Amino acid sequence: MRILHVIDGIDVGGAELVLAQLIEHLQRDGHHNTVLVLTHGGPIGDRMRTAGAAVVEMGSPRGRLPVSAVGRMAAQVREADPDLIQGWMYHGNLAALILRVASRVRSPLVWSVHNTLEPFPEMGALTRGALVANRLFAGAVAGIVYVSEAAARQHERRGFRPDRTRVIPNGTDCQLFGPRPEER
């Protein structure tokens, strides 16, 4: 399977680390991953490349998706020829939807949401706008993956489509973080 991940940036953060872990597992299982980074790369990009993923950095200014860049990004989507497109967080979700339409690729689109809304987090105006746009266009996606039941219910109460909800909790690598009696 060819999977295209669309994300705003790949600096060190919770969702970015989850994406890196997911790519490592998917690559080991024989799936091909392309990560379309709207901005510039970050330290997580090297980890994804080491796992075998293609990481494409578009270099857009953070928080903006310039119209002039949409054509170049849509070409990258067509080149990746994905079987599945996954947006990451509000900005990446919205960009994935725009790029799916602009590229005329018909692959299913799944969004991922990595935060709760209660208490309401501090967000800049662009992120609040992306949250509203995600709510408005949530019916256009095949599914929305939330990292917790709480996140799913909170987003649903704010107008996200419950029929699109899938909950996949963040996991912990029990091999890496398991008990080690010899080290006490």
Side-chain angles (χ1 to χ4, degrees):
M1 177 180 268
R2 293 178 312 277
I3 305 163
L4 173 67
H5 305 273
V6 180
I7 191 166
D8 187 35
I10 48 176
D11 290 323
V12 177
E16 295 84 354
L17 289 169
V18 169
L19 174 56
Q21 289 173 346
L22 177 63
I23 285 172
E24 289 166 347
H25 288 280
L26 289 170
Q27 289 289 134
R28 275 194 301 257
D29 290 344
H31 303 289
H32 183 272
N33 293 270
T34 300
V35 182
L36 183 63
V37 184
L38 302 179
T39 58
H40 296 282
I44 302 298
D46 292 336
R47 182 172 169 182
M48 294 173 185
R49 285 183 188 95
T50 298
V55 178
V56 180
E57 302 169 17
M58 298 308 299
S60 293
R62 187 167 276 294
R64 292 188 357 198
L65 183 61
V67 174
S68 61
V70 171
R72 287 185 301 116
M73 291 183 195
Q76 290 292 332
V77 173
R78 286 189 297 275
E79 184 178 321
D81 190 26
D83 297 308
L84 176 72
I85 302 171
Q86 183 172 11
W88 286 79
M89 302 174 292
Y90 303 131
H91 296 280
N93 292 343
L94 187 55
L97 176 63
I98 292 167
L99 294 173
R100 181 177 179 258
V101 171
S103 68
R104 295 189 175 112
V105 168
R106 297 286 176 229
S107 306
L109 172 59
V110 176
W111 284 351
S112 61
V113 175
H114 292 262
N115 62 283
T116 58
L117 293 173
E118 296 168 17
F120 197 76
E122 282 191 37
M123 294 181 186
L126 288 173
T127 302
R128 282 193 310 275
L131 170 61
V132 169
N134 276 221
R135 178 179 54 81
L136 293 174
F137 294 109
V141 302
I144 304 171
V145 177
Y146 298 93
V147 297
S148 69
E149 290 289 341
R153 302 297 88 79
Q154 291 167 11
H155 281 81
E156 289 168 359
R157 283 195 296 275
R158 290 186 177 262
F160 280 66
R161 299 273 304 262
D163 61 324
R164 302 297 197 260
T165 295
R166 303 291 181 271
V167 176
I168 303 175
N170 283 336
T172 301
D173 184 339
C174 293
Q175 297 290 337
L176 182 62
F177 295 105
R180 294 184 212 146
E182 69 281 359
E183 293 184 25
R184 302 216 27 93

